[in-house]
Structures are given as structure tokens and as C-alpha cells.
Amino acid sequence: MILSLPEIQIREVVLHQLSSMWPIEDADAAAIEDALPQALERLEKCFSHTRNKYYSDNEGHTRFDHLHGCQWAHFLYVLSREVWLGDGPTFQPTCDRLYALNRMQSGADLFYQVGLPEVMNFDHPLASVMGRASYSNYFTFSQGCTVGNNKSVYPSFGESVFMMSNSKVIGDCHIGDNVII
């Protein structure tokens, strides 16, 4: 994957952004450093399946640009998820900070305990909330979308579901494959 910054500088940007809001301990920095390679690997896998001109260069190489807001929001979600999966309860404050930073910057609610699919896409995710549903690959959502529960029961999604702006899927339902909402 082509990075807009070297991996070490991406780490420094994350730590700088976090430390501008909260005190960061050495253990937090170590957890982020440990999770960063897996997060970038997961992004590459996802972005390589995205047919969006901002996710590849002219030769078709997958590209991650930290200045592209949607890519950065996706990265912060994936990084917080990887920290959580690595040793989550120990580093829950780190995960919470990454989650809060992402909400502040993108306006999207992408909680690290929610298992979003490996291949997904979103563009302009402002005011979107992705709840604890069951998601399949090629899930896409736009601004103002909500996935949530009704009496603690969440929906499930088949492959290639696209939630258009301001759509909502709530409660006990199954959305099949190749659906536009």
C-alpha cells in the first residue's frame, strides 16, 4: 500500500492528535504501535476492493492518505478495533480515546467493539451510527445512516448492501445480498 506518510509518522500523527486532548501514557503509545501494522494491513485489504479514485493511484496501487477525511476515519476505527482485539480490556481507555477522536473529527459513530466487515466503504460518514449488527463484506453507508437495536435485537446484513443518505435499519430484520436502502 502506498502511504502518504511513513508508518512511523502516521503513528506520530495519531499520538499527537490524542495528546492534544488527553494525557497519553507510554503503554498507550506502545499499544498503538503494536496495533498499527495490523490496522494498515486491514486497510490495504479493504481499500484494494474499493472502486473509488481516491483509494488508488494511476497504476492501480492501493493508497492511504491521512489527509483524506474518510480514509482517516476508517483508519481510526480500524486502529481502535485492532488495539481492542489485541488486548482490549487493558487498553480500553486508549480505545475509548481513539473512538472519541474519530467521532470529533468525522462525526461518525464507529465503536471499536462493533465488528464492521473487512471490506466496507463509506463516503462522508457525518452523523452516521453503526450499531452492533451483523455485517457482511461490501457494506457501504453514506451520511446520516443509522443501524441500531430494538429491545436489544440488531439487524443482519447480507453482502453488497448500500445504505443511502439518511437511511435507517433498526431491530430484528435481515437485509439480503445486493440491496440498496
Side-chain angles (χ1 to χ4, degrees):
M1 176 163 53
I2 298 171
L3 302 173
S4 58
L5 290 175
E7 186 174 322
I8 190 72
Q9 286 182 318
I10 290 172
R11 175 188 172 274
E12 294 306 314
V13 169
V14 171
L15 292 175
H16 179 74
Q17 289 180 348
L18 288 173
S19 68
S20 70
M21 300 298 295
W22 303 280
I24 301 300
E25 305 292 330
D26 290 342
D28 297 317
I32 289 168
E33 188 168 346
D34 289 347
L36 187 58
Q38 293 90 342
L40 292 173
E41 183 178 312
R42 183 170 169 192
L43 275 188
E44 181 173 22
K45 184 174 189 175
C46 180
F47 289 1
S48 70
H49 289 87
T50 301
R51 293 185 188 130
N52 183 311
K53 65 182 178 182
Y54 299 110
Y55 292 77
S56 61
D57 65 11
N58 292 335
E59 288 82 44
H61 300 106
T62 304
R63 200 181 125 194
F64 170 48
D65 183 352
H66 72 289
L67 296 176
H68 186 281
C70 295
Q71 289 184 12
W72 190 251
H74 196 142
F75 166 72
L76 288 174
Y77 161 75
V78 170
L79 181 61
S80 64
R81 178 92 176 142
E82 290 297 328
V83 170
W84 175 254
L85 292 174
D87 197 7
T90 303
F91 293 107
Q92 185 166 352
T94 306
C95 298
D96 288 342
R97 290 181 195 114
L98 287 164
Y99 164 69
L101 179 66
N102 198 6
R103 283 192 64 186
M104 284 185 277
Q105 290 181 347
S106 71
D109 190 331
L110 305 171
F111 190 53
Y112 55 86
Q113 291 183 21
V114 173
L116 294 173
E118 287 211 356
V119 180
M120 69 169 192
N121 189 31
F122 54 83
D123 212 13
H124 309 293
L126 183 66
S128 289
V129 178
M130 295 297 113
R132 296 176 191 268
S134 172
Y135 299 93
S136 297
N137 280 331
Y138 304 99
F139 177 75
T140 300
F141 67 93
S142 197
Q143 61 269 16
C145 295
T146 300
V147 174
N149 76 75
N150 183 11
K151 298 180 182 174
S152 298
V153 180
Y154 288 86
S156 65
F157 294 88
E159 284 202 354
S160 299
V161 173
F162 188 164
M163 293 182 68
M164 302 294 278
S165 296
N166 298 314
S167 59
K168 317 290 183 224
V169 179
I170 308 293
D172 188 14
C173 60
H174 174 74
I175 307 299
D177 295 341
N178 304 308
V179 173
I180 298 174
I181 303 169

